[in-house]
Amino acid sequence: MNKTLQDIRELSKIEFLPILSEECEKVLIKLLKEEQPKNILEIGTCVGYSSSIMLLNSDAHIDTIELDKERQEVAKSVWKAQNISDRVDAYLGDANVILKDVIKDKIYDFVFLDGPKSRYLEHLNVVINNVKSGGIILADDVLFFGLVKGDEYVIHKHRTIVRHLREFLADIENRDDLDVTLIQEGNGIAIIRKK
Ligand SMILES: C[S@@+](CC[C@H](N)C(=O)[O-])C[C@H]1O[C@@H](n2cnc3c(N)ncnc32)[C@H](O)[C@@H]1O
């Protein structure tokens, strides 16, 4: 059966698939309409929901990286059903390892950081030289259920993510090469523009 994006959103609730929140989807669509990017990089394909949203709201090409083969296979069928496969290059592997090779000699005008939260800063620093001046980097879930900016007790299993996201926000908010807008909606969204 060909799954529509609405089917995938419904399925994600049942199967706990970590696709982007409805709030982040709205922000993403608004940004895509304003920016009309041509070359997008995504870290964290999952089942191809956000990449489909990005391609259906622009005429861009996307490079997208996913660690999990099964999820990538589902994504391929989703792109096919949307008739957008020809605008996708899907990479299977650990972004922490393959990112440099994937982006080599490429320039992006839009980057969606949505892979491992603890690696956002590392991924940003790897891609930043391949982002056009004026380009956007969108990072989802940066406030991680309010724990990143709050003073609430953080349980052990979330401590590493929260510490890394705090370091990520402190870094991007204090850099001269970036303009940052932090949106509280959803799980927190950082819109980062390279100056
Ligand atoms: C939040 S989900 C991405 C959701 C997707 N962008 C969407 O909204 O439809 C994060 C994805 O990153 C993948 N992931 C986690 N660690 C990774 C890594 N080191 N390299 C590549 N992908 C990774 C996970 O398997 C998961 O599918």
Side-chain angles (χ1 to χ4, degrees), residues 20 22-36 49 53-54 56-58 110 138:
L20 84 175
E22 288 178 36
E23 293 86 354
C24 187
E25 180 175 335
K26 281 186 198 137
V27 170
L28 186 58
I29 291 173
K30 184 169 178 285
L31 272 173
L32 290 162
K33 291 201 167 137
E34 288 165 3
E35 305 290 328
Q36 283 300 313
Y49 186 88
I53 292 290
M54 289 190 268
L56 292 171
N57 285 280
S58 72
F110 199 97
L138 190 73

Side-chain angles (χ1 to χ4, degrees), residues 18-20 42 44-46 49-50 66-67 71 93-96 114 116:
I19 68 166
L20 84 175
E42 175 182 61
T45 315
C46 197
Y49 186 88
S50 52
E66 173 57 52
L67 185 63
R71 285 183 177 176
D94 182 345
N96 310 327
D114 202 21

Side-chain angles (χ1 to χ4, degrees), residues 8-9 17-21 24 28 42-54 64-69 71-72 91-98 112-117 119-120 123 140-141:
I8 295 168
R9 176 144 314 280
L17 280 173
I19 68 166
L20 84 175
S21 64
C24 187
L28 186 58
E42 175 182 61
I43 302 174
T45 315
C46 197
V47 293
Y49 186 88
S50 52
S51 49
S52 296
I53 292 290
M54 289 190 268
T64 180
I65 304 175
E66 173 57 52
L67 185 63
D68 183 309
K69 190 168 175 31
R71 285 183 177 176
Q72 195 199 51
Y91 296 87
L92 182 67
D94 182 345
N96 310 327
V97 178
I98 68 170
F112 186 33
L113 293 182
D114 202 21
K117 316 287 158 222
R119 301 295 191 120
Y120 275 4
H123 292 166
D140 194 16
D141 297 325

Side-chain angles (χ1 to χ4, degrees), residues 2-191:
N2 281 346
K3 288 192 177 62
T4 65
L5 295 187
Q6 190 55 38
D7 291 336
I8 295 168
R9 176 144 314 280
E10 292 309 316
L11 195 70
S12 75
K13 293 175 190 158
I14 300 160
E15 296 191 357
F16 303 106
L17 280 173
I19 68 166
L20 84 175
S21 64
E22 288 178 36
E23 293 86 354
C24 187
E25 180 175 335
K26 281 186 198 137
V27 170
L28 186 58
I29 291 173
K30 184 169 178 285
L31 272 173
L32 290 162
K33 291 201 167 137
E34 288 165 3
E35 305 290 328
Q36 283 300 313
K38 299 289 174 229
N39 287 300
I40 302 176
L41 170 70
E42 175 182 61
I43 302 174
T45 315
C46 197
V47 293
Y49 186 88
S50 52
S51 49
S52 296
I53 292 290
M54 289 190 268
L55 295 185
L56 292 171
N57 285 280
S58 72
D59 60 4
H61 173 278
I62 192 166
D63 287 336
T64 180
I65 304 175
E66 173 57 52
L67 185 63
D68 183 309
K69 190 168 175 31
E70 265 179 55
R71 285 183 177 176
Q72 195 199 51
E73 287 306 317
V74 178
K76 285 180 181 168
S77 68
V78 169
W79 298 321
K80 198 167 171 211
Q82 310 297 324
N83 276 318
I84 50 177
S85 306
D86 58 336
R87 289 195 281 141
V88 184
D89 276 324
Y91 296 87
L92 182 67
D94 182 345
N96 310 327
V97 178
I98 68 170
L99 182 58
K100 274 195 187 128
D101 286 336
V102 170
I103 67 173
K104 193 168 183 286
D105 300 328
K106 293 180 187 156
I107 294 291
Y108 299 97
D109 42 15
F110 199 97
V111 176
F112 186 33
L113 293 182
D114 202 21
K117 316 287 158 222
S118 293
R119 301 295 191 120
Y120 275 4
L121 184 54
E122 189 182 319
H123 292 166
L124 174 73
N125 286 332
V126 173
V127 302
I128 196 69
N129 288 334
N130 297 55
V131 177
K132 206 164 106 174
S133 174
I136 295 277
I137 301 122
L138 190 73
D140 194 16
D141 297 325
V142 294
L143 297 178
F144 205 69
F145 306 106
L147 294 173
V148 172
K149 291 270 184 185
D151 47 17
E152 209 177 296
Y153 177 77
V154 181
I155 57 167
H156 187 262
K157 79 168 181 175
H158 291 150
R159 252 177 239 163
T160 305
I161 286 186
V162 169
R163 178 167 56 80
H164 281 108
L165 284 173
R166 282 178 180 154
E167 286 167 7
F168 172 68
L169 291 184
D171 182 274
I172 60 173
E173 284 170 343
N174 288 296
R175 274 166 74 153
D176 293 335
D177 60 336
L178 307 174
D179 272 330
V180 178
T181 307
L182 197 56
I183 297 182
Q184 307 285 330
E185 284 172 52
N187 245 330
I189 305 155
I191 303 174

